[in-house]
Amino acid sequence: MSMAVGELFNPRSIALVGATDKSGWSISTLTNLRTHGFRGPVHLVNPRGGVVHGEQAHRSLSDIPGQVDLAYVMVPTTAVLPVLREGAKLGIRHYVILTAGFGETGPEGAALEAEIVDFARENDLTVLGPNGNGFINAAADVTPYGLPIPSPLLRGSVGVVLQSGALASSVLGFAQARNVGISLLTSMGNESLVTVTDVIDYLVDDPATKAIALFLESVRDPAAFSRAARRALLAGKPIVALKIGRSRLASRTAQAHTGALVGDDNVIDAAFRQLGVVRVRSLEDLIITAGLLAEVGPLPGPRIGVVTPSGGASEIIADRAEDEGLELPAFAPETVARLREIVPAFGTVQNPLDVTGYVLIDRTLLGRALEAVTADPGVDAVMLLSDLPRVAPPDPAPVYAMFSASAKRIAEAPMPVVVVSNVLTDVTEFGRDVQREAGFPYVAGGIEHGMHAIGAAVRWSRAYRAAVEANGAVPAKAVASAPAAETGTGVWAEHRAAALLSSAGLPVVPGELVYDEESAVAAAVGFGYPVVLKVAADGLGHKSDVGGVRLGLSDARDVERAYREVVAAAAAVPGAGRVGALVQPQRGGGVELLVGVVRDPAWGLTLAVGLGGIWVEALRDTALRVLPVDAAEVRRALDELRGTALLRGARGTEPADLDAVAEVVARVATFAESLGDDLESLEINPLLVRGSHVEALDALITWRDRPGR
C-alpha cells in the first residue's frame, strides 16, 4: 500500500470528475491546483461537456487525451461506482472521492461504500475517502483540496493527518498563523481503503516530513497503528496526536477490580505512551508541539536553562516546568560569573534568567546571555523567550540585524535552543519576513503551549532513545504457556486460579482445598498457625461479598468455627456449586499490590498494576500498559504510581526490591498472554511485596463468554 499511497499523493496529471460552476468544492479545487504550483495538466469532466470554470470540459474520462494519474471525484453518490468502473478500464489507479452519502449516513450508504471497496480491491485501485476534502502535498505542489487554501501556503516539515474534514481548514489556518509549514495535509474521510496508518507509513518514508500531527476520532486498527507508530519512533519522526472521544470509565469485567480501572481512554493513553506517541489535548498544542519537534528533533534531557527579558514570565515558566516534569537546575559557578558581567547590576542571576528590561537599551544583551547559558555543563537545552516583531518600525534594519545575530548564536550553540513567545498571537507578515530573512528558528506560540511542547519533546526523546537501544536487544525469555486444556469457561475463583498460576511457576502462597472441618484443621496444623481460611466455590467470585474470608485463626477451634460460618454463608448464594474452603498460612507486613490483566475490545490484553488490597477503589492509583511488556516497562509503570514511596520504604518500612517485583509482574503478563483468546481477565489482588519476597495471595480468572464455547 505504501508505494500506491506515494503515487496517490504525487500525480502528474489530474482529472476533476463532476466539475461544475455550481459547486464551491469544484471551484476551490481547481483554484488551489492553479494557484499553488501544480505543474501537470488538470482535466475537467462534466457529462454535459461545454465550458466549466472558463475551460473546455470533457464529457467523460474516456474523452481525455493522455494518461490520468488521479481522478478527483465529485459526482453524486450513486454515480461514484460508474466513474471508478470507467477509470479502471482506462488504467486510472488512484482516486480521491469527495462525495458524501456513504457509510457515515447509515446502512444504505454503507452498502454503497462496500460496493466501492470491493470493486477497488478487485481492481487494485487506491481510494482516499469517500466523504473527505482531498489532500495538500505542499512539498510537491500538488493541491487537490476542496476548500480554499489560505495564502501563502507554507511549505515545511509537518505532516498533518485528519479524521475530520471540517477542521482541516482551521488547522491549516492556525499552522499558517504560527508560521508552521506543512509537508502534507490530508483529510481522511471514511477511510474505506486508504487509512490513517497508510498515510503514517508514507510520511515515515517521506524525506520532506520530520514530524507527524494526527487528529483522531478513533484508532480503527490498533495493531496496524502500533506497527506504524513503532516505525515512526525508530525513524526518529515524532507523532503528535489529538485523540478525541474520551469516554467515562467502563467496567470490562464485573468480577474483577481491574475492569473498573481500565477505561477506553486510559488504555489509549497507555498505548500511546508505549509507542512514543505524544498525546495533546487541543488543536493549538497539536500544531505547536509538532512544529517544535520538527524543528529541534530529540532533546538530550529534561534540564532546561531559561533566558527571558521578564521576571513575571520567569515565574510562569518555573510553575509550568514543574507541571511538565522539567528541571530548571542552578547555573554552574562559571556560568554565574559570566552572566554577572553581562546582566545589569539590578538583575538577579538565576535560572530562569531575567536579563531585565534593559534589553530595550542594549539589543545585544539577550543574545550574549543566551551564549553564556548554552555553555552551561548542567543544562540539556535552553528555552529562549522571544517574540517575533509584529509591526515594522520606520527603520527596520536594526530589527533584522538583532534577529540575525540571535539566529547565528542559536545555530552555533552547543545544545538545542527552543524559542517560545510570551503569548499565543498570530505571526504577522513583518514577523514572518524577519524570521525568514534572519534565518530565525521556529517560535512556539505562548508560554503555556510552548512549555507543554518542550515537556512533550523531552518525553518523546526519552521514548526514542529507549526504542533505539531496545531495537537490538534480545527479547526476555517467556514463561512457559499453560496447557490448552487448562483454559475454561465462566469465573475461576481463587482455588482454581491460584493452582493455574502455580503450575506456571509463578509465586503463589501455598493453600489446601478442603471440604470438611477435620481436613481444615489438619491443613492448618500442616502450615502452622496462624492461618487464613477462605470460602471456595466455583460459582463465587469475590469471597468478601458473602463474608467468606477469616484471618488470623490461631487454633483448631477457630478453624472449625470459621469453616462452618463461611460454608453456610456461601451455600445460601444461588449457583455457588460445591462449597468448601481454602486454608493458607497467614502472611503479614509488606505492601499489597494489584496486578490485573484485562482484555480491551480494541487494544487487547492490558496490564494494570497499582496499590492493592483494600486500596484499589479508594485510591485508584494504577499504571496501565498494553501487552506485551517486559520487566523494564513494568519497572517504569511502578515508578508512575503515586504510592511508589510505600514501595521504596516510606517512614522506615522495608523497601521493596522493585526489580524483583517488575520481574514477577512481567511474568504474570506473559502468562496471561499464553492463555490465548479465551482469557477475559486475570487478577492477583493482593500481590504481597516484602523486600525481595513477592507472592500472590489471591487470584481470580474470568474466561470469555463466546459463541460456540
Side-chain angles (χ1 to χ4, degrees):
M1 178 64 85
S2 182
M3 182 181 292
V5 171
E7 293 172 356
L8 170 77
F9 290 141
N10 291 275
R12 289 161 299 181
S13 60
I14 298 174
L16 304 187
V17 186
T20 170
D21 291 321
K22 298 175 183 177
S23 167
W25 298 96
S26 183
I27 294 166
S28 293
T29 305
L30 182 62
T31 301
N32 291 334
L33 288 166
R34 296 285 191 225
T35 59
H36 292 292
F38 182 65
R39 290 175 290 277
V42 179
H43 307 284
L44 305 183
V45 177
N46 183 296
R48 293 186 180 85
V51 175
V52 178
H53 307 324
E55 301 179 19
Q56 184 62 45
H58 302 279
R59 291 184 182 275
S60 69
L61 286 169
S62 304
D63 290 345
I64 298 173
Q67 177 63 37
V68 172
D69 293 330
L70 174 67
Y72 186 88
V73 182
M74 302 175 284
V75 299
T77 308
T78 54
V80 171
L81 187 55
V83 169
L84 265 61
R85 286 196 176 111
E86 182 185 12
K89 287 179 184 175
L90 297 168
I92 302 172
R93 313 245 62 84
H94 308 295
Y95 298 81
V96 172
I97 303 177
L98 257 70
T99 310
F102 290 95
E104 77 281 3
T105 62
E108 198 173 314
L112 290 172
E113 188 169 323
E115 285 184 33
I116 288 173
V117 170
D118 290 344
F119 181 81
R121 285 185 174 144
E122 287 167 12
N123 292 274
D124 197 25
L125 307 182
T126 308
V127 176
L128 178 65
N131 187 34
N133 293 346
F135 65 86
I136 300 169
N137 186 349
D141 298 328
V142 183
T143 54
Y145 183 73
L147 296 171
I149 298 174
S151 291
L153 173 58
L154 301 179
R155 290 152 178 84
S157 53
V158 176
V160 183
V161 188
L162 302 154
Q163 281 181 330
S164 169
L167 287 176
S169 292
S170 297
V171 168
L172 188 62
F174 181 72
Q176 178 189 312
R178 286 308 313 165
N179 223 23
V180 175
I182 64 166
S183 55
L184 175 81
L185 180 145
T186 181
S187 165
M188 297 306 304
N190 291 1
E191 292 183 69
S192 63
L193 273 103
V194 174
T195 66
V196 165
T197 303
D198 295 327
V199 182
I200 293 172
D201 274 327
Y202 167 80
L203 293 172
V204 170
D205 297 327
D206 175 29
T209 301
K210 293 181 180 177
I212 300 166
L214 307 178
F215 176 87
L216 300 173
E217 293 171 342
S218 65
V219 179
R220 301 186 184 205
D221 185 342
F225 180 87
S226 297
R227 286 193 296 272
R230 289 190 188 98
R231 280 193 70 224
L233 186 61
L234 287 170
K237 293 197 177 184
I239 296 178
V240 184
L242 173 57
K243 167 66 180 69
I244 60 166
R246 283 183 279 157
S247 63
R248 53 187 166 79
L249 295 180
S251 174
R252 301 266 173 252
T253 310
Q255 292 288 348
H257 292 108
T258 311
L261 298 169
V262 179
D264 295 343
D265 203 61
N266 291 1
V267 175
I268 288 167
D269 259 351
F272 281 12
R273 275 198 305 274
Q274 287 170 255
L275 296 168
V277 175
V278 174
R279 191 172 185 187
V280 295
R281 302 291 185 186
S282 69
L283 290 169
E284 291 85 355
D285 279 327
L286 178 66
I287 295 303
I288 291 168
T289 303
L292 183 140
L293 281 160
E295 174 81 19
V296 303
L299 294 179
R303 301 173 302 171
I304 310 297
V306 179
V307 179
T308 163
S310 164
S314 296
E315 297 296 329
I316 300 172
I317 291 165
D319 288 346
R320 288 292 289 117
E322 189 169 296
D323 297 340
E324 295 292 339
L326 300 171
E327 301 169 25
L328 302 180
F331 291 134
E334 58 267 34
T335 307
V336 172
R338 190 173 170 189
L339 287 171
R340 281 191 174 135
E341 296 176 1
I342 298 170
V343 175
F346 55 83
T348 304
V349 175
Q350 62 184 21
N351 188 22
L353 176 67
D354 170 19
V355 298
T356 78
Y358 203 72
V359 290
L360 296 174
I361 298 168
D362 180 357
R363 290 183 179 272
T364 69
L365 178 57
L366 201 64
R368 288 186 294 133
L370 175 67
E371 202 170 77
V373 174
T374 55
D376 190 291
V379 168
D380 296 313
V382 173
M383 171 184 166
L384 173 65
L385 198 70
S386 177
D387 283 285
L388 290 167
R390 296 186 59 76
V391 180
D395 179 13
V399 175
Y400 284 95
M402 180 180 71
F403 277 88
S404 294
S406 292
K408 186 171 185 294
R409 283 192 170 98
I410 290 168
E412 294 173 352
M415 65 181 62
V417 176
V418 180
V419 186
V420 177
S421 63
N422 281 277
V423 292
L424 181 58
T425 52
D426 290 359
V427 177
T428 64
E429 280 304 315
F430 177 62
R432 197 191 313 279
D433 190 62
V434 169
Q435 189 171 20
R436 182 178 60 252
E437 293 298 319
F440 198 74
Y442 169 71
V443 180
I447 294 171
E448 169 65 27
H449 299 287
M451 292 300 291
H452 180 77
I454 295 171
V458 167
R459 291 187 289 275
W460 174 82
S461 302
R462 192 180 297 130
Y464 168 60
R465 285 190 292 271
V468 170
E469 289 170 12
N471 196 38
V474 179
K477 186 179 178 182
V479 177
S481 298
E486 290 286 2
T487 62
T489 58
V491 177
W492 280 16
E494 180 184 358
H495 59 289
R496 296 184 72 186
L500 184 59
L501 293 171
S502 183
S503 72
L506 292 164
V508 179
V509 64
E512 188 170 332
L513 181 61
V514 297
Y515 288 97
D516 58 61
E517 294 175 31
E518 288 182 11
S519 300
V521 172
V525 170
F527 289 128
Y529 291 105
V531 296
V532 176
L533 188 142
K534 305 172 182 176
V535 68
D538 288 341
L540 193 65
H542 289 305
K543 299 172 289 292
S544 56
D545 291 347
V546 295
V549 180
R550 296 291 186 273
L551 305 174
L553 306 178
S554 58
D555 56 32
R557 187 176 299 174
D558 283 350
V559 172
E560 290 168 351
R561 183 173 60 250
Y563 182 88
R564 289 194 298 272
E565 289 174 354
V566 300
V567 168
V573 177
R578 188 185 182 194
V579 179
L582 188 66
V583 181
Q584 298 170 329
Q586 174 94 24
R587 299 295 198 226
V591 177
E592 294 183 345
L593 294 181
L594 163 90
V595 178
V597 177
V598 66
R599 187 175 299 278
D600 180 85
W603 293 88
L605 293 179
T606 303
L607 170 72
V609 58
L611 291 184
I614 63 172
W615 300 110
V616 177
E617 280 90 357
L619 297 182
R620 303 184 77 86
D621 184 16
T622 311
L624 301 183
R625 293 294 188 273
V626 175
L627 300 191
V629 294
D630 58 14
E633 188 64 47
V634 174
R635 178 63 195 271
R636 286 190 285 272
L638 292 170
D639 288 339
E640 291 173 12
L641 298 174
R642 296 191 303 276
T644 191
L646 292 173
L647 290 166
R648 296 182 185 281
R651 295 185 176 273
T653 57
E654 182 183 9
D657 181 343
L658 290 175
D659 288 334
V661 176
E663 178 65 31
V664 169
V665 173
R667 288 171 60 204
V668 170
T670 303
F671 176 66
E673 286 186 285
S674 79
L675 295 174
D677 293 340
D678 288 343
L679 181 70
E680 178 64 39
S681 70
L682 181 160
E683 180 173 285
I684 297 171
N685 183 29
L687 181 75
L688 181 67
V689 180
R690 194 172 57 237
S692 60
H693 178 80
V694 183
E695 187 178 48
L697 301 189
D698 199 348
L700 185 73
I701 293 176
T702 305
W703 304 101
R704 297 174 78 185
D705 181 17
R706 298 195 293 164
R709 290 199 64 217

